[in-house]
Amino acid sequence: MPNQSKVITFDLEQASLISLRKALPDSVIEVINGATAASLTRDWNPGTVDLLVVKARKEVAETLELCRFLVSCGVLARDAPVVTDSQEEMPKTLGLHRRRRNVARRAVSPLLVLVPPRRKSIVRDVLKAGAHSCLMLPINAKDVASMLGHAQAGNQAGRHTLDLEGAQTEDRWRDDGGEG
């Protein structure tokens, strides 16, 4: 089906795949195991993808490299809103010219990283590497659906982002801290 959403996963175990299928029953889920940033070519093009899911690996550096690669190749999201660079700055990890006026582009697919609970200390680094969100293993369908909804809605004023990125729109209720 042409309107069927596409999800690409990296190194997911069976339990996570089952939860992902429950969360996204109408999606085509492509499973890739053992891929690294080095093994995927620079011109790797998976087409339009609605969600990328990576399971954190034992080697943190491999996970971070894969996240950076997936973000840098700019996988486009289906039905993502078109924004202009004058409205939003491009992420630094894309290595593209930032703040080019009135150049339309589509948002990249959300990147979800699944992290074992004993390794929650890597979450900040994974987010800095370009992941949109992290979920602790084991995942459940409701958490995945909620994460995808938030990612598709974009970064909104008042949402917690660990100070890694600012809100895309001005929050007119936010106080600047000065005297009123």
Side-chain angles (χ1 to χ4, degrees), residues 12 38-39 68 73 94 109 121 123 127 129 132 141 160:
L12 261 61
S39 72
R68 287 184 193 111
C73 69
L94 287 178
S109 299
S121 62
V123 168
L127 293 172
H132 287 80
H160 298 283

Side-chain angles (χ1 to χ4, degrees), residues 19-53:
S19 293
L20 199 58
R21 285 189 176 106
K22 284 181 184 176
L24 309 167
D26 297 327
S27 297
V28 172
I29 299 175
E30 182 179 326
V31 178
I32 299 174
N33 290 313
T36 64
S39 72
L40 297 170
T41 61
R42 272 288 172 210
D43 57 349
W44 179 69
N45 183 1
T48 301
V49 177
D50 295 284
L51 178 64
L52 296 162
V53 182

Side-chain angles (χ1 to χ4, degrees), residues 77-125:
R78 179 189 334 275
D79 300 328
V82 175
V83 295
T84 62
D85 286 340
S86 62
Q87 292 172 328
E88 175 187 302
E89 213 174 274
M90 293 289 288
K92 292 175 185 160
T93 54
L94 287 178
L96 302 174
H97 294 95
R98 290 180 279 151
R99 290 285 184 188
R100 290 178 12 204
R101 299 280 182 217
N102 301 319
V103 176
R105 63 179 173 76
R106 291 177 61 196
V108 295
S109 299
L111 173 59
L112 169 64
V113 177
L114 306 180
V115 180
R118 66 187 182 282
R119 303 199 53 221
K120 63 183 173 185
S121 62
I122 70 168
V123 168
R124 182 174 291 276
D125 292 334

Side-chain angles (χ1 to χ4, degrees), residues 130-169:
H132 287 80
S133 185
C134 291
L135 289 177
M136 293 295 154
L137 290 169
I139 60 170
N140 67 55
K142 190 165 52 170
D143 290 340
V144 172
S146 175
M147 182 284 320
L148 188 56
H150 285 292
Q152 289 172 341
N155 189 16
Q156 299 171 353
R159 272 199 44 227
H160 298 283
T161 59
L162 290 177
D163 295 329
L164 297 176
E165 54 190 58
Q168 292 174 351
T169 60

